Amino acid sequence: METNDYLKDLKEIKEMMSKSSQTLSLSGLSGVLAGLYALAGAGYADHLLQFYEVEDYTESRGVIGFPLDALSLQLMGLATLIVLASIVTGIVLSAKKAKKMGETLWNASSRRLLINFSIPLVTGGLLVLILLFKGYYELIAPIMLLFYGMGCVNASKFTFRDVRYLGLTQIVLGLMAAYFKDSDLLFWALGFGVCHVLYGAMMYVKYDRN
């Protein structure tokens, strides 16, 4: 009997230590909304490509010329808008969830999560800018998916383990986007759009609904 009580105490201590080292206030609903933003953005990007009569942006260096032309600037602005909207939504909804749970959003665990997530994300962002200026458009979508996926895998140590599977899925889609370069926008929409909606909905049902 005493042995069972001892094991039970150890289990409770382990669970408490695990929770104290993880950020559990991430909102699944914010993932769903981020996915919807990405899908809307992918639809508008496709509209822009048709408007400028570019069938395949990854092979259009000879058509549209220098990278920072009207089309490139609009696509960069669209991507920036999607990222900012997703970040703001994530912060607002996660802060609301943290308050409901009686926690603070900004703590030692969230700082570790942010650092481990930001390192691959910032590196990938800088690489994307370099590729854009150099005109290597065909690598932009795969690089975004790959580095975002690595960021999720890295960050999963400090939050829900489900984020790890999201990251691995993004990495696989990034590799597929690199191979099937004519369908890079499709894979980008699948990764940042569909996957976020599905994983966000799953996390909402699993962690947020109660």
Short mmCIF file of all heavy atoms in Angstrom, two decimals, residues 116-161:
data_model
loop_
_atom_site.label_atom_id
_atom_site.label_comp_id
_atom_site.label_asym_id
_atom_site.label_seq_id
_atom_site.Cartn_x
_atom_site.Cartn_y
_atom_site.Cartn_z
N ASN A 116 13.60 28.88 -28.81
CA ASN A 116 13.82 27.67 -29.61
C ASN A 116 13.02 27.69 -30.90
O ASN A 116 13.45 27.09 -31.89
CB ASN A 116 13.45 26.44 -28.78
CG ASN A 116 14.53 26.08 -27.77
OD1 ASN A 116 15.44 25.32 -28.06
ND2 ASN A 116 14.43 26.64 -26.57
N PHE A 117 11.88 28.37 -30.91
CA PHE A 117 11.07 28.47 -32.12
C PHE A 117 11.65 29.53 -33.06
O PHE A 117 11.65 29.37 -34.28
CB PHE A 117 9.64 28.83 -31.73
CG PHE A 117 8.70 28.92 -32.90
CD1 PHE A 117 8.43 27.81 -33.69
CD2 PHE A 117 8.08 30.13 -33.22
CE1 PHE A 117 7.55 27.89 -34.77
CE2 PHE A 117 7.21 30.21 -34.29
CZ PHE A 117 6.95 29.10 -35.07
N SER A 118 12.17 30.61 -32.49
CA SER A 118 12.62 31.75 -33.29
C SER A 118 13.92 31.49 -34.04
O SER A 118 14.11 32.01 -35.14
CB SER A 118 12.79 32.98 -32.40
OG SER A 118 11.56 33.37 -31.84
N ILE A 119 14.81 30.70 -33.46
CA ILE A 119 16.12 30.49 -34.09
C ILE A 119 15.98 29.93 -35.51
O ILE A 119 16.48 30.52 -36.48
CB ILE A 119 17.02 29.60 -33.22
CG1 ILE A 119 17.42 30.35 -31.95
CG2 ILE A 119 18.27 29.16 -33.99
CD1 ILE A 119 18.17 29.51 -30.94
N PRO A 120 15.29 28.78 -35.71
CA PRO A 120 15.12 28.32 -37.10
C PRO A 120 14.21 29.22 -37.92
O PRO A 120 14.43 29.38 -39.12
CB PRO A 120 14.49 26.91 -36.93
CG PRO A 120 14.09 26.79 -35.53
CD PRO A 120 14.75 27.84 -34.73
N LEU A 121 13.22 29.85 -37.27
CA LEU A 121 12.28 30.69 -38.01
C LEU A 121 12.97 31.94 -38.56
O LEU A 121 12.79 32.30 -39.73
CB LEU A 121 11.12 31.09 -37.11
CG LEU A 121 9.81 31.45 -37.82
CD1 LEU A 121 9.25 30.22 -38.53
CD2 LEU A 121 8.79 32.00 -36.84
N VAL A 122 13.76 32.61 -37.73
CA VAL A 122 14.48 33.81 -38.17
C VAL A 122 15.52 33.44 -39.23
O VAL A 122 15.69 34.14 -40.24
CB VAL A 122 15.13 34.52 -36.98
CG1 VAL A 122 16.05 35.65 -37.46
CG2 VAL A 122 14.06 35.08 -36.04
N THR A 123 16.22 32.33 -39.01
CA THR A 123 17.21 31.87 -39.99
C THR A 123 16.55 31.61 -41.34
O THR A 123 17.05 32.05 -42.38
CB THR A 123 17.89 30.58 -39.49
OG1 THR A 123 18.47 30.80 -38.22
CG2 THR A 123 18.96 30.13 -40.48
N GLY A 124 15.41 30.92 -41.31
CA GLY A 124 14.69 30.65 -42.56
C GLY A 124 14.18 31.92 -43.21
O GLY A 124 14.22 32.06 -44.43
N GLY A 125 13.71 32.88 -42.39
CA GLY A 125 13.23 34.15 -42.92
C GLY A 125 14.33 34.93 -43.63
O GLY A 125 14.11 35.48 -44.72
N LEU A 126 15.51 34.96 -43.03
CA LEU A 126 16.64 35.65 -43.66
C LEU A 126 17.06 34.96 -44.94
O LEU A 126 17.39 35.61 -45.94
CB LEU A 126 17.82 35.71 -42.68
CG LEU A 126 17.60 36.58 -41.44
CD1 LEU A 126 18.78 36.44 -40.47
CD2 LEU A 126 17.42 38.05 -41.82
N LEU A 127 17.04 33.62 -44.94
CA LEU A 127 17.39 32.86 -46.14
C LEU A 127 16.38 33.13 -47.26
O LEU A 127 16.76 33.27 -48.42
CB LEU A 127 17.45 31.37 -45.82
CG LEU A 127 17.84 30.44 -46.97
CD1 LEU A 127 19.18 30.86 -47.59
CD2 LEU A 127 17.90 29.00 -46.49
N VAL A 128 15.10 33.22 -46.90
CA VAL A 128 14.06 33.53 -47.89
C VAL A 128 14.31 34.89 -48.52
O VAL A 128 14.18 35.06 -49.75
CB VAL A 128 12.66 33.48 -47.24
CG1 VAL A 128 11.63 34.16 -48.13
CG2 VAL A 128 12.25 32.04 -46.98
N LEU A 129 14.68 35.88 -47.72
CA LEU A 129 14.97 37.22 -48.26
C LEU A 129 16.16 37.18 -49.22
O LEU A 129 16.15 37.82 -50.28
CB LEU A 129 15.25 38.19 -47.11
CG LEU A 129 14.05 38.60 -46.25
CD1 LEU A 129 14.49 39.50 -45.11
CD2 LEU A 129 13.00 39.32 -47.11
N ILE A 130 17.19 36.41 -48.85
CA ILE A 130 18.36 36.28 -49.73
C ILE A 130 17.97 35.64 -51.05
O ILE A 130 18.35 36.10 -52.14
CB ILE A 130 19.46 35.44 -49.03
CG1 ILE A 130 20.02 36.21 -47.82
CG2 ILE A 130 20.59 35.10 -50.01
CD1 ILE A 130 20.95 35.38 -46.95
N LEU A 131 17.17 34.56 -50.97
CA LEU A 131 16.72 33.88 -52.19
C LEU A 131 15.85 34.78 -53.05
O LEU A 131 15.93 34.75 -54.28
CB LEU A 131 15.94 32.61 -51.81
CG LEU A 131 16.74 31.50 -51.12
CD1 LEU A 131 15.81 30.38 -50.66
CD2 LEU A 131 17.81 30.95 -52.04
N LEU A 132 15.04 35.60 -52.38
CA LEU A 132 14.17 36.52 -53.12
C LEU A 132 14.99 37.55 -53.88
O LEU A 132 14.74 37.83 -55.06
CB LEU A 132 13.21 37.23 -52.16
CG LEU A 132 12.18 38.16 -52.77
CD1 LEU A 132 11.25 37.40 -53.70
CD2 LEU A 132 11.38 38.88 -51.69
N PHE A 133 15.99 38.12 -53.22
CA PHE A 133 16.85 39.11 -53.87
C PHE A 133 17.70 38.50 -54.98
O PHE A 133 18.02 39.17 -55.96
CB PHE A 133 17.74 39.80 -52.84
CG PHE A 133 17.06 40.92 -52.11
CD1 PHE A 133 16.50 40.71 -50.86
CD2 PHE A 133 16.95 42.18 -52.68
CE1 PHE A 133 15.85 41.74 -50.19
CE2 PHE A 133 16.30 43.22 -52.01
CZ PHE A 133 15.75 43.00 -50.76
N LYS A 134 18.04 37.22 -54.81
CA LYS A 134 18.84 36.54 -55.82
C LYS A 134 17.98 36.00 -56.96
O LYS A 134 18.49 35.63 -58.01
CB LYS A 134 19.62 35.38 -55.19
CG LYS A 134 20.70 35.81 -54.20
CD LYS A 134 21.85 36.49 -54.90
CE LYS A 134 22.98 36.82 -53.91
NZ LYS A 134 24.14 37.46 -54.60
N GLY A 135 16.66 35.95 -56.74
CA GLY A 135 15.76 35.49 -57.79
C GLY A 135 15.50 34.00 -57.81
O GLY A 135 14.97 33.47 -58.78
N TYR A 136 15.86 33.28 -56.72
CA TYR A 136 15.61 31.83 -56.67
C TYR A 136 14.22 31.57 -56.09
O TYR A 136 14.07 31.03 -55.00
CB TYR A 136 16.70 31.14 -55.84
CG TYR A 136 18.07 31.27 -56.44
CD1 TYR A 136 19.04 32.08 -55.85
CD2 TYR A 136 18.40 30.58 -57.61
CE1 TYR A 136 20.31 32.21 -56.41
CE2 TYR A 136 19.67 30.70 -58.17
CZ TYR A 136 20.61 31.51 -57.57
OH TYR A 136 21.85 31.64 -58.13
N TYR A 137 13.19 31.91 -56.85
CA TYR A 137 11.82 31.82 -56.35
C TYR A 137 11.39 30.39 -56.05
O TYR A 137 10.57 30.16 -55.17
CB TYR A 137 10.86 32.44 -57.37
CG TYR A 137 11.18 33.86 -57.73
CD1 TYR A 137 11.61 34.20 -59.01
CD2 TYR A 137 11.07 34.87 -56.78
CE1 TYR A 137 11.91 35.50 -59.34
CE2 TYR A 137 11.37 36.18 -57.11
CZ TYR A 137 11.79 36.49 -58.39
OH TYR A 137 12.09 37.78 -58.71
N GLU A 138 11.92 29.44 -56.83
CA GLU A 138 11.47 28.06 -56.69
C GLU A 138 11.82 27.45 -55.33
O GLU A 138 11.25 26.43 -54.94
CB GLU A 138 12.04 27.18 -57.81
CG GLU A 138 13.55 26.97 -57.75
CD GLU A 138 14.34 28.09 -58.42
OE1 GLU A 138 13.71 29.12 -58.78
OE2 GLU A 138 15.55 27.94 -58.57
N LEU A 139 12.74 28.09 -54.60
CA LEU A 139 13.15 27.55 -53.30
C LEU A 139 12.44 28.20 -52.11
O LEU A 139 12.56 27.73 -50.98
CB LEU A 139 14.67 27.73 -53.12
CG LEU A 139 15.56 26.97 -54.10
CD1 LEU A 139 17.02 27.34 -53.87
CD2 LEU A 139 15.36 25.47 -53.96
N ILE A 140 11.69 29.27 -52.36
CA ILE A 140 11.12 30.04 -51.26
C ILE A 140 10.07 29.25 -50.48
O ILE A 140 10.13 29.15 -49.26
CB ILE A 140 10.53 31.37 -51.79
CG1 ILE A 140 11.67 32.28 -52.24
CG2 ILE A 140 9.69 32.05 -50.71
CD1 ILE A 140 11.21 33.58 -52.86
N ALA A 141 9.09 28.67 -51.17
CA ALA A 141 8.03 27.90 -50.49
C ALA A 141 8.60 26.71 -49.72
O ALA A 141 8.26 26.49 -48.55
CB ALA A 141 6.96 27.46 -51.47
N PRO A 142 9.48 25.89 -50.35
CA PRO A 142 10.07 24.77 -49.61
C PRO A 142 10.85 25.22 -48.38
O PRO A 142 10.74 24.60 -47.30
CB PRO A 142 10.99 24.10 -50.64
CG PRO A 142 10.44 24.48 -51.95
CD PRO A 142 9.87 25.84 -51.78
N ILE A 143 11.62 26.29 -48.51
CA ILE A 143 12.42 26.78 -47.38
C ILE A 143 11.52 27.24 -46.24
O ILE A 143 11.78 26.96 -45.06
CB ILE A 143 13.34 27.94 -47.83
CG1 ILE A 143 14.47 27.41 -48.73
CG2 ILE A 143 13.93 28.68 -46.64
CD1 ILE A 143 15.44 26.48 -48.05
N MET A 144 10.44 27.95 -46.56
CA MET A 144 9.51 28.42 -45.53
C MET A 144 8.92 27.24 -44.76
O MET A 144 8.84 27.25 -43.54
CB MET A 144 8.40 29.26 -46.17
CG MET A 144 8.87 30.59 -46.70
SD MET A 144 7.54 31.54 -47.51
CE MET A 144 6.55 32.01 -46.09
N LEU A 145 8.49 26.20 -45.49
CA LEU A 145 7.90 25.03 -44.86
C LEU A 145 8.93 24.27 -44.02
O LEU A 145 8.64 23.85 -42.89
CB LEU A 145 7.31 24.10 -45.92
CG LEU A 145 6.03 24.60 -46.60
CD1 LEU A 145 5.75 23.81 -47.88
CD2 LEU A 145 4.85 24.51 -45.66
N LEU A 146 10.13 24.10 -44.55
CA LEU A 146 11.16 23.33 -43.86
C LEU A 146 11.59 24.00 -42.56
O LEU A 146 11.64 23.35 -41.50
CB LEU A 146 12.37 23.13 -44.77
CG LEU A 146 12.19 22.14 -45.93
CD1 LEU A 146 13.36 22.24 -46.90
CD2 LEU A 146 12.07 20.72 -45.40
N PHE A 147 11.89 25.29 -42.62
CA PHE A 147 12.37 25.98 -41.42
C PHE A 147 11.25 26.17 -40.40
O PHE A 147 11.50 26.11 -39.19
CB PHE A 147 13.01 27.32 -41.78
CG PHE A 147 14.44 27.18 -42.24
CD1 PHE A 147 14.74 26.87 -43.56
CD2 PHE A 147 15.48 27.34 -41.34
CE1 PHE A 147 16.05 26.73 -43.97
CE2 PHE A 147 16.81 27.19 -41.75
CZ PHE A 147 17.09 26.89 -43.07
N TYR A 148 10.03 26.38 -40.87
CA TYR A 148 8.90 26.47 -39.94
C TYR A 148 8.69 25.12 -39.25
O TYR A 148 8.44 25.06 -38.04
CB TYR A 148 7.64 26.89 -40.68
CG TYR A 148 6.43 26.96 -39.78
CD1 TYR A 148 6.29 27.98 -38.84
CD2 TYR A 148 5.42 26.01 -39.86
CE1 TYR A 148 5.19 28.05 -38.01
CE2 TYR A 148 4.32 26.06 -39.04
CZ TYR A 148 4.21 27.08 -38.11
OH TYR A 148 3.12 27.13 -37.27
N GLY A 149 8.80 24.06 -40.04
CA GLY A 149 8.68 22.72 -39.46
C GLY A 149 9.74 22.45 -38.41
O GLY A 149 9.45 21.90 -37.34
N MET A 150 10.98 22.84 -38.70
CA MET A 150 12.05 22.65 -37.71
C MET A 150 11.82 23.49 -36.46
O MET A 150 12.12 23.07 -35.34
CB MET A 150 13.40 22.99 -38.36
CG MET A 150 13.87 21.94 -39.35
SD MET A 150 15.55 22.21 -39.96
CE MET A 150 15.25 23.51 -41.16
N GLY A 151 11.25 24.69 -36.67
CA GLY A 151 10.92 25.53 -35.51
C GLY A 151 9.88 24.87 -34.63
O GLY A 151 9.98 24.90 -33.40
N CYS A 152 8.86 24.27 -35.26
CA CYS A 152 7.81 23.58 -34.49
C CYS A 152 8.37 22.39 -33.73
O CYS A 152 8.02 22.17 -32.56
CB CYS A 152 6.68 23.12 -35.43
SG CYS A 152 5.66 24.46 -36.08
N VAL A 153 9.22 21.61 -34.38
CA VAL A 153 9.83 20.45 -33.71
C VAL A 153 10.67 20.92 -32.53
O VAL A 153 10.63 20.33 -31.44
CB VAL A 153 10.68 19.64 -34.71
CG1 VAL A 153 11.48 18.57 -33.98
CG2 VAL A 153 9.80 19.00 -35.77
N ASN A 154 11.42 21.99 -32.73
CA ASN A 154 12.25 22.54 -31.67
C ASN A 154 11.41 23.04 -30.50
O ASN A 154 11.74 22.81 -29.34
CB ASN A 154 13.08 23.70 -32.24
CG ASN A 154 14.53 23.64 -31.81
OD1 ASN A 154 15.03 22.58 -31.45
ND2 ASN A 154 15.20 24.76 -31.84
N ALA A 155 10.31 23.72 -30.82
CA ALA A 155 9.46 24.32 -29.78
C ALA A 155 8.61 23.29 -29.06
O ALA A 155 8.14 23.55 -27.94
CB ALA A 155 8.56 25.39 -30.40
N SER A 156 8.41 22.12 -29.67
CA SER A 156 7.51 21.13 -29.08
C SER A 156 8.01 20.60 -27.74
O SER A 156 7.24 20.04 -26.96
CB SER A 156 7.32 19.95 -30.05
OG SER A 156 8.53 19.23 -30.23
N LYS A 157 9.30 20.80 -27.45
CA LYS A 157 9.84 20.37 -26.16
C LYS A 157 9.27 21.20 -25.02
O LYS A 157 9.33 20.79 -23.86
CB LYS A 157 11.37 20.51 -26.17
CG LYS A 157 12.07 19.78 -27.31
CD LYS A 157 13.52 20.21 -27.38
CE LYS A 157 14.19 19.70 -28.66
NZ LYS A 157 15.57 20.21 -28.80
N PHE A 158 8.75 22.37 -25.34
CA PHE A 158 8.31 23.31 -24.30
C PHE A 158 6.81 23.59 -24.35
O PHE A 158 6.33 24.50 -23.71
CB PHE A 158 9.09 24.62 -24.43
CG PHE A 158 10.57 24.42 -24.43
CD1 PHE A 158 11.28 24.41 -25.62
CD2 PHE A 158 11.26 24.20 -23.25
CE1 PHE A 158 12.65 24.20 -25.64
CE2 PHE A 158 12.63 24.00 -23.25
CZ PHE A 158 13.33 23.99 -24.44
N THR A 159 6.08 22.80 -25.15
CA THR A 159 4.62 22.97 -25.20
C THR A 159 4.00 21.62 -25.52
O THR A 159 4.61 20.56 -25.28
CB THR A 159 4.23 24.05 -26.23
OG1 THR A 159 2.83 24.26 -26.16
CG2 THR A 159 4.63 23.66 -27.64
N PHE A 160 2.81 21.61 -26.08
CA PHE A 160 2.13 20.36 -26.39
C PHE A 160 2.94 19.52 -27.37
O PHE A 160 3.46 20.04 -28.36
CB PHE A 160 0.75 20.64 -26.99
CG PHE A 160 -0.15 21.44 -26.10
CD1 PHE A 160 -0.54 22.72 -26.44
CD2 PHE A 160 -0.62 20.90 -24.90
CE1 PHE A 160 -1.38 23.46 -25.62
CE2 PHE A 160 -1.45 21.63 -24.07
CZ PHE A 160 -1.82 22.92 -24.43
N ARG A 161 3.01 18.22 -27.12
CA ARG A 161 3.78 17.33 -27.98
C ARG A 161 3.20 17.26 -29.40
O ARG A 161 3.90 16.91 -30.35
CB ARG A 161 3.82 15.92 -27.38
CG ARG A 161 4.52 15.86 -26.02
CD ARG A 161 5.96 16.29 -26.12
NE ARG A 161 6.65 16.22 -24.83
CZ ARG A 161 7.87 16.68 -24.61
NH1 ARG A 161 8.53 17.27 -25.60
NH2 ARG A 161 8.43 16.60 -23.41
#
